Amino acid sequence: MPAPRAAFAWWGATACWFLGTLLGGRRTPVEAAVPPPVAVLAYVVCAGLWALLVYGVYRGVKGTRTALAIVGALGIVDLVVQLVGDVVTRAYGHGAFFLAALVLSGAGFVLLFKPS
């Protein structure tokens, strides 16, 4: 049952990303353009949609594994870009959370496509 274990890894990655985003010291230009409650609400909605997609994988819904693989790859690219940005700007406020999310996302990919 690799898919349910992959779902737990992805949920952990989602929690780390969400915490890193909320607790990070550096604000993106988009975050700076909107009031903080709106930015937090947007992150809650994104994390919720992501968790719902992962729940579909957990339940074995057809097509969710492929969708998670595509969206997950984009998410991993985003995490790497954010980590590189933290290193370049020396704003290490949320790097540990993003690094944990990156490791858990990698584990999620491995478990998602591991043969039963």
Side-chain angles (χ1 to χ4, degrees), residues 24-41:
R26 181 174 57 97
R27 293 183 67 183
T28 66
V30 174
E31 291 172 340
V34 297
V38 174
V40 170
L41 180 63

Side-chain angles (χ1 to χ4, degrees), residues 40-111:
V40 170
L41 180 63
Y43 285 127
V44 167
V45 169
C46 289
L49 289 173
W50 182 264
L52 189 61
L53 178 63
V54 173
Y55 184 69
V57 170
Y58 180 78
R59 297 284 300 179
V61 176
K62 186 176 181 177
T64 55
R65 287 174 74 146
T66 304
L68 182 62
I70 293 167
V71 177
L74 294 173
I76 287 175
V77 169
D78 180 56
L79 282 171
V80 169
V81 167
Q82 289 179 355
L83 282 169
V84 168
D86 288 349
V87 169
V88 169
T89 61
R90 297 184 181 189
Y92 304 118
H94 55 296
F97 285 108
F98 284 167
L99 189 58
L102 188 61
V103 169
L104 287 168
S105 295
F109 259 112
V110 169
L111 291 170

